[in-house]
Structure formats: structure tokens, C-alpha cells
Amino acid sequence: MRRFNLALLAALTLSVGLVAVPAQAHEGHRPLGIENCTAGACHFDVPPGTYDVKVLLGGEAASGTSISGETRRSLLPETPAAAGERVARSFSVNVRTPQGEPTGPDGTPGLDLAIGGSAPALADISVTPARHARQILLVGDSTVCDQPADPYSGWGQQLPQYLRKGLSLANYADSGESTVTYLQNPQLWATVQPLIRPGDLVLIQLAHNDKTTDEATYRANLETLVAGVREKGGEPVLVTPIVRRWFNADGTLNNNTALLVNSLGVDHPAVIRSVAAAEKVPLIDLTAETKALVESLGVEGSKAVYLYNEKKDNTHTSVHGATVYAGLVRDALVAEHLVPEGLVRVG
């Protein structure tokens, strides 16, 4: 973090004599606030749940502030404020244990936020339990999950920055999972399904690790997930997988590696599209969207979307790439009328 408005923070703290508020004081009393922040970070001692966060950004000098939280989730994109200006923003955030991937470490209890940006300036903050937040749950693999360390990032890790207060994202994607293992592992589907509430969206993107799954099993597993979401009153959304950056000599991605056709000849995106049509499930065709984007960027330009430069990795995305792909998901959610335009950030 390059600069935090410590003077303003100190003035606010001293002027009202703020002291730390225990978690139990959050129930029915004043919101938790800036007294829980130090330079560049805030910690709120709250139990698992969904919380609304309201921030006031800006300081004496021109500033640019972004906020991330929990396991490197992008919660608020960099927001500029002119010198002397105050800009209010709000978002909803999911707090859970484990903090990141469902099979990962528990992480730190409570809500942790990191204040970043080109010139961070946090003037005030309040955290309150969300009363009416709609929930989006993600079921997926390493291309979707909350990746624990740089330079990796899943698109689900970047999606929250596009959501406004009233729409919370709970990312239950997990590295290395196929449709088979996601259904079998009690830390995954058996944990996620009871959390689904009527009206919740559940986005399902599983394909990259179904390398030896036959077509009948793959189709049946997708149908099981769809039925399980509907059983709880949720709305399933099938998502075709992001492409691998694997070019043909002519600059296209028309090959099995790029388009997720496994060793048995199972065309995962085609099966997903077929199940979506048969079950009348909304479809986000991320394969088609990412194929078009990667091909338009070309062999060199697309390297920055993936981790080719850092790891010679043509499957996993960089923070930049995950942010771009999260934007595609946001656009699809709006275009398919799955979320109201007023609950997403554009641009």
C-alpha cells in the first residue's frame, strides 16, 4: 500500500474517542466503524454471515482507493476522489469459514479488508449485518476460486467488485475439482447445497478437471447439481469453462486442448449447452466469450490474460485476466436478466 490517509484517520478517531467494539455489540447497536482500521487494513470481529459495508473515500489530496477482503477478493474497484472530495460507496460481503477455498485453511475469523489503490484514502467505514442481500453462490474449479496467492486469481475472486450493496457473492469453487469430486467431497456440494436459499443464483462451472469423465457421467453430474439447486428453491446457471490459451498455427483456438474436449472425446461445453437447453437452465457461454476475446488479442496480447509470462501457464488467469473474465460474467448476468442492472457496477 503506497499511502493511507493517516492524518484523517487519527483526527476522526481522536475527535470522537472511538474504541474497539466487540462482536456482540454489533447485534442491534451502532455499526462497527473506522476504529477497527489501521494504516491499510481493517478487521471486524464478526461471526460468519453477510455484511453490508459502507465506505467514505477521499482526503485533502486527490486519491484513488480500492478495497479487497478475506482471501484476496476484489470488493471495490479503484475509486477516484478529487482533493477535498468525499465519495460514498457500498457493497455486501460474505464472511465464512474457511475464508477462501472450501478445502483450504480456515483463515482469520471475522471480516478482514485491505485498503489499496494508487493513493488510498479511507475517511470512514461502517459494517452492519445485511438484511435483504440476495446471494450468488459459485460452484467451480481453480479458474473460478478464491486463489490464496499471487499471481493466480479466479474470475469468481474478481466478480464481487462489480456487485453493489444488496448482492453478495459466496465463492465455493475449489482447486482441482471435477463434477465427480465436487459431488463426492462432503466439504463441497454437501456443504454448499444447504446454504442455498430461495431466489439465490448458483453459477456452476466445472469441466477443466473432468479429463477422464465419460459423457454420460458428466451429463448426469450436471443434472444432479441442477436438481439440487432447484430442490432448495435456488436458480441454477450453467457456465461453460474458460478456454485454455492454446493456439493453432492460424491463430485460432479450434482444438481440443483450448476448447475443453477431454481424452475420451467428451466436448464439455457442448454437453453443458445441451443440459442447459434440456433442463431449461440459463446458460453463460463463457467458452464462446473467452475464445472470441483471446483470439482477438492474439498470441502475444493474450499472454497477459493468463499466467504465461509468470508460469508458462495457459489455463489459469492473472488478476488482470480474471478481472476481464469476471466482467464477461457480469455482462451475461445482466443480459440474461438474472440480476437487476442496479445491483451491478459497469465500466
Side-chain angles (χ1 to χ4, degrees):
M1 309 301 173
R2 282 178 280 276
R3 180 169 61 84
F4 188 80
N5 199 327
L6 288 172
L8 181 58
L9 173 59
L12 283 167
T13 304
L14 291 173
S15 66
V16 296
L18 297 174
V19 295
V21 179
Q24 58 269 27
H26 197 199
E27 302 297 331
H29 292 78
R30 68 182 178 85
L32 299 177
I34 196 133
E35 68 276 6
N36 293 276
C37 301
T38 58
C42 303
H43 173 76
F44 302 93
D45 183 17
V46 296
T50 302
Y51 294 88
D52 290 334
V53 179
K54 181 177 180 180
V55 295
L56 193 63
L57 308 175
E60 295 179 2
S63 61
T65 309
S66 61
I67 299 177
S68 59
E70 300 296 88
T71 305
R72 302 176 59 239
R73 294 181 227 156
S74 295
L75 299 172
L76 186 71
E78 178 152 342
T79 303
E85 181 186 15
R86 298 293 182 270
V87 176
R89 292 288 186 271
S90 298
F91 55 87
S92 298
V93 60
N94 171 254
V95 177
R96 61 180 184 272
T97 304
Q99 195 175 57
E101 294 181 85
T103 62
D106 285 353
T108 306
L111 171 60
D112 288 287
L113 302 177
I115 314 302
S118 57
L122 176 66
D124 201 4
I125 186 169
S126 67
V127 175
T128 55
R131 302 300 182 193
H132 305 291
R134 190 181 183 192
Q135 187 170 231
I136 299 176
L137 297 99
L138 301 184
V139 169
D141 53 33
S142 59
T143 65
V144 185
C145 75
D146 287 348
Q147 289 280 358
D150 280 327
Y152 294 89
S153 180
W155 61 255
Q157 199 164 20
Q158 300 301 323
L159 186 57
Q161 67 185 294
Y162 294 125
L163 308 180
R164 297 181 185 274
K165 176 185 173 184
L167 190 58
S168 172
L169 185 76
N171 190 351
Y172 284 91
D174 196 72
S175 294
E177 307 300 342
S178 65
T179 58
V180 176
T181 61
Y182 204 95
L183 286 167
Q184 289 177 342
N185 190 330
Q187 293 177 281
L188 298 172
W189 184 238
T191 297
V192 174
Q193 190 193 19
L195 302 175
I196 300 170
R197 305 171 305 194
D200 285 346
L201 289 179
V202 183
L203 275 57
I204 301 165
Q205 187 217 277
L206 287 166
H208 279 86
N209 299 303
D210 280 279
K211 298 173 183 177
T212 60
T213 309
D214 63 81
E215 183 169 339
T217 301
Y218 186 65
R219 178 181 295 273
N221 289 343
L222 292 175
E223 290 169 348
T224 297
L225 290 165
V226 166
V229 174
R230 285 174 166 166
E231 179 186 325
K232 305 298 289 186
E235 182 172 6
V237 179
L238 290 176
V239 183
T240 59
I242 67 169
V243 295
R244 292 190 177 98
R245 184 190 163 275
W246 202 269
F247 283 93
N248 297 326
D250 64 358
T252 66
L253 298 178
N254 295 315
N255 58 75
N256 288 355
T257 300
L259 299 182
L260 284 297
V261 179
N262 76 7
S263 59
L264 301 178
V266 179
D267 185 331
H268 293 105
V271 175
I272 294 168
R273 295 176 189 122
S274 174
V275 172
E279 298 293 328
K280 296 181 173 53
V281 174
L283 174 75
I284 296 177
D285 200 341
L286 206 51
T287 304
E289 293 279 355
T290 56
K291 178 180 184 292
L293 177 61
V294 171
E295 287 181 341
S296 72
L297 292 171
V299 173
E300 289 302 316
S302 61
K303 288 179 178 178
V305 175
Y306 290 83
L307 293 173
Y308 180 86
N309 295 324
E310 299 86 349
K311 301 285 185 179
K312 297 296 187 288
D313 186 334
N314 292 308
T315 298
H316 297 97
T317 48
S318 63
V319 171
H320 164 68
T323 303
V324 172
Y325 286 179
L328 296 177
V329 175
R330 171 206 56 192
D331 294 345
L333 290 172
V334 174
E336 294 296 322
H337 305 290
L338 294 169
V339 298
E341 288 188 45
L343 290 181
V344 299
R345 293 187 175 88
V346 296

